[in-house]
Amino acid sequence: MPGSRVGTTDMTRWWQSGTIYQVYPRSFQDSDGDGIGDLEGIRQRLGHLVALGVDAVWVSPFYPSPMADFGYDVADYCGVDPMFGTLEDFDGLIADAHGQGLKVVLDFVPNHTSERHPWFAESRAGRGSAKRDWYIWRDPASGGGPPNNWASNFGGSAWEYDEASGQYYYHAFLKEQPDLNWRNPQVRAAMNDVLRFWLERGVDGFRVDVIWHLMKDAGFRDNPDNPGFAEGQPDIARVLPVHSADQPEVFDVIAEMRATIEAYGDRVLIGEIYLPLERLVAYYGHDLSGVHLPFNFQLILSAWNARGLAELIETYERALPDGGWPNWVLGNHDQHRVASRIGAAQARVAAMLLLTLRGTPTIYYGDEIGMTDGEIAPEAVQDPWEKNEPGLGLGRDPERTPMHWTAADDAGFTTGTPWLPVGPAHEANVADQTGDPRSMLALHRRLLALRRAHEALSLGSFESVAATGDVLAYRRRRGGETFLIVLNLGHEPVAVDGLGQHRAILSTHLDREEARPAATIALRPDEGLILVP
Ligand code: NOJ
Ligand code: MG
């Protein structure tokens, strides 16, 4: 087992010690009764984030958008969609957040715009348009048809034919989301100006949407077929994205964004990247000139068992470049909720793992109360991916249902008709859990408070101790402090010996704080413990 690794410099930044909380704005809090969450709603609920003990809130897109992909199709990068409020509301939100000690991270969507963005309208106007080259236009293949075999992430060809000009444009996602041409210096300049617009308004950083997609093969070569493709997988899995993403030129683009950010001081750049580990860590960039945090989705994508987790933690720690800061994510608006993936009991163990691992944690709204995937009737489906490729379980609506604030039928989310059905709020909601010292919410508050109070947990070294049977154990150390974390990933009781005398200071069951150290650590089913010598 590789031992500890010194994880910090003396210049610790907020995004290293802090915890990020993701808000999907449509679903957090509606303030005007239209059934869709909004900026004013987020502002009203900042107190929840403060009480929870997180440090930063990342807000998914709220820019003007036709909502073909619920805001990831941006028609104006420097505005607020009326559905979500106004720029003044945004300024109010950021002022209030900062006043309460919370950082605000925006979602930057640079790979594609909406087809309704004025840039695209101009680009589409004709082959001679001044902005033609701002997007990716190609002639049909020599025998006719799309220029190559690249596939859309939401099904079908990634090329859309434009009758008027006789050319195709490229869209890695919906045809309503044409890809920008990041080889064009004017695009780069315009998009860095967008970053500055929000930096000037005080935002503390950006989560950059599909950052590994920004550059495509200059020669537009066909992608190879995927020999591992099986029926039941999404259409996009038919080919391997060898030429359509993750190109070496992307690192120049990212370094430019990073330089833009750095000019404003202590801000963070986070990259959304779904790539194998060895490619993921490349996004820290040459001499750490890349993103500060390439989102690490390993906990979402890997099997949930002690040995597998131990291995992935070790492999990740080993793969990090010198000075590269780790991070961990348990859920987001594109993935089924953790409580549905692994069950309610293990979701508590997962919370303890997330908040005691070395690296910045990201919590998805609702996971702190153990929300599960919502049930979406066929006629209630909203997600365009589910509509394009129905029945494969690809839909993302289940993890996007409204936040449960109260036990009421509307969950305290809206006075109107919610855009997605509200789940069983009486089973899990903020109001009830606030009064329950053993709730999932109480567990998150305790874990976050402990993490804040002890640098060993936020910034300390990580040392793997054991992965035997269902037990995963590791130590976190800094200065004179040591914590031992022992997690039972199984549903049977288990006893652990040989780790020395320890006493438990926090259990996932929230009913166990021991006065005296013991040599045997006895774990109940699905129990995680934080112990001290
Ligand atoms: C990743 C986002 O997280 C997802 O929700 C979106 O559909 C695609 N990028 C396209 O922007
Ligand atoms: Mg609203």
Side-chain angles (χ1 to χ4, degrees):
M1 293 278 170
S4 61
R5 163 194 271 273
V6 178
T8 55
T9 63
D10 345 339
M11 300 261 297
T12 302
R13 316 250 318 243
W14 62 266
W15 49 264
Q16 296 181 294
S17 56
T19 300
I20 300 168
Y21 183 96
Q22 181 190 357
V23 164
Y24 193 67
R26 295 181 71 87
S27 302
F28 200 55
Q29 176 67 60
D30 178 23
S31 74
D32 61 359
D34 67 352
I36 298 170
D38 40 52
L39 295 183
E40 172 57 20
I42 300 173
R43 198 188 61 75
Q44 291 171 6
R45 294 297 189 181
L46 289 175
H48 170 69
L49 305 190
V50 173
L52 182 60
V54 297
D55 300 87
V57 53
W58 149 35
V59 188
S60 285
F62 50 73
Y63 317 107
S65 165
M67 303 290 163
D69 190 21
F70 296 107
Y72 284 95
D73 47 326
V74 179
D76 171 6
Y77 286 104
C78 300
V80 173
D81 195 284
M83 168 187 295
F84 294 121
T86 63
L87 260 182
E88 289 65 49
D89 292 334
F90 176 79
D91 291 339
L93 170 62
I94 202 164
D96 274 22
H98 285 168
Q100 297 184 50
L102 293 166
K103 307 281 186 187
V104 178
V105 173
L106 296 201
D107 210 312
F108 182 49
V109 190
N111 180 67
H112 42 266
T113 69
S114 161
E115 60 168 348
R116 309 261 191 90
H117 196 294
W119 296 343
F120 188 65
E122 198 182 331
S123 184
R124 192 175 212 169
R127 292 192 186 213
S129 155
K131 287 205 170 55
R132 187 65 168 180
D133 185 53
W134 280 42
Y135 292 82
I136 299 171
W137 291 96
R138 307 288 290 173
D139 289 333
S142 44
N148 67 20
N149 72 348
W150 293 2
S152 156
N153 280 272
F154 292 144
S157 169
W159 295 96
E160 181 71 8
Y161 189 60
D162 176 56
E163 289 284 347
S165 64
Q167 285 191 312
Y168 285 85
Y169 68 84
Y170 177 69
H171 57 91
F173 293 87
L174 298 173
K175 67 176 177 3
E176 292 85 356
Q177 295 168 295
D179 278 44
L180 282 163
N181 176 16
W182 274 84
R183 293 183 189 270
N184 181 314
Q186 292 173 341
V187 167
R188 282 156 98 138
M191 292 302 274
N192 277 278
D193 282 347
V194 170
L195 293 176
R196 284 183 205 100
F197 174 88
W198 293 107
L199 289 162
E200 294 288 341
R201 289 196 112 84
V203 309
D204 300 288
F206 300 92
R207 171 269 190 190
V208 185
D209 192 65
V210 296
I211 199 166
W212 84 107
H213 271 267
L214 293 181
M215 280 291 192
K216 331 341 173 167
D217 178 41
F220 291 91
R221 284 170 286 177
D222 271 349
N223 277 325
D225 286 342
N226 175 8
F229 178 78
E231 284 313 318
Q233 290 179 354
D235 210 32
I236 183 72
R238 287 176 192 279
V239 286
L240 298 170
V242 172
H243 299 302
S244 50
D246 191 28
Q247 300 300 298
E249 298 96 316
V250 76
F251 297 104
D252 291 341
V253 171
I254 297 174
E256 233 169 78
M257 286 182 193
R258 174 69 182 271
T260 299
I261 305 273
E262 291 295 340
Y264 287 80
D266 199 13
R267 320 281 170 116
V268 70
L269 196 61
I270 306 170
E272 186 210 18
I273 301 156
Y274 286 92
L275 284 175
L277 201 53
E278 65 281 6
R279 291 302 308 149
L280 175 71
V281 295
Y283 283 75
Y284 284 99
H286 182 64
D287 286 339
L288 302 183
S289 61
V291 295
H292 294 110
L293 302 175
F295 259 150
N296 165 16
F297 300 126
Q298 303 280 320
L299 294 179
I300 299 178
L301 304 172
S302 309
W304 196 256
N305 60 68
R307 187 159 302 274
L309 287 174
E311 210 173 283
L312 85 81
I313 295 165
E314 290 294 332
T315 316
Y316 179 64
E317 284 275 351
R318 258 199 310 269
L320 289 169
D322 265 348
W325 186 250
N327 76 90
W328 299 94
V329 182
L330 264 187
N332 64 39
H333 63 294
D334 297 325
Q335 304 291 340
H336 293 310
R337 283 194 180 270
V338 59
S340 291
R341 299 197 311 263
I342 61 176
Q346 281 298 314
R348 295 174 80 106
V349 176
M352 185 170 276
L353 175 70
L354 175 74
L355 296 173
T356 57
L357 278 174
R358 190 176 86 90
T360 308
T362 298
I363 298 175
Y364 184 50
Y365 87 90
D367 283 354
E368 77 275 30
I369 52 171
M371 276 177 66
T372 51
D373 282 350
E375 277 185 43
I376 313 294
E379 63 280 7
V381 167
Q382 301 282 339
D383 183 15
W385 196 10
E386 176 68 26
K387 288 181 180 171
N388 284 354
E389 298 188 73
L392 300 179
L394 302 172
R396 300 167 296 173
D397 296 327
E399 59 266 24
R400 296 176 177 179
T401 59
M403 177 71 175
H404 298 173
W405 297 106
T406 70
D409 288 347
D410 63 15
F413 166 70
T414 184
T415 55
T417 307
W419 77 285
L420 278 175
V422 173
H426 57 277
E427 286 174 14
N429 66 76
V430 173
D432 289 348
Q433 292 195 14
T434 299
D436 173 1
R438 293 196 191 163
S439 65
M440 183 67 151
L441 181 58
L443 175 63
H444 276 85
R445 288 183 179 173
R446 292 280 303 273
L447 285 165
L448 283 159
L450 201 65
R451 189 179 171 95
R452 245 191 206 165
H454 300 277
E455 287 195 343
L457 287 172
S458 56
L459 301 170
S461 63
F462 172 88
E463 195 182 305
S464 188
V465 172
T468 340
D470 283 330
V471 174
L472 175 67
Y474 49 93
R475 283 197 187 88
R476 303 292 314 281
R477 281 187 216 269
R478 184 164 162 106
E481 269 192 315
T482 301
F483 291 89
L484 173 68
I485 294 95
V486 186
L487 307 174
N488 182 358
L489 283 278
H491 311 305
E492 303 293 330
V494 58
V496 183
D497 288 305
L499 297 181
Q501 298 258 335
H502 286 88
R503 65 185 179 89
I505 56 162
L506 186 61
S507 158
T508 47
H509 296 19
L510 294 173
D511 58 354
R512 178 169 170 187
E513 274 165 48
E514 279 147 22
R516 252 183 294 283
T520 295
I521 301 166
L523 294 158
R524 291 168 285 176
D526 306 292
E527 184 176 32
L529 292 176
I530 300 181
L531 306 111
V532 293

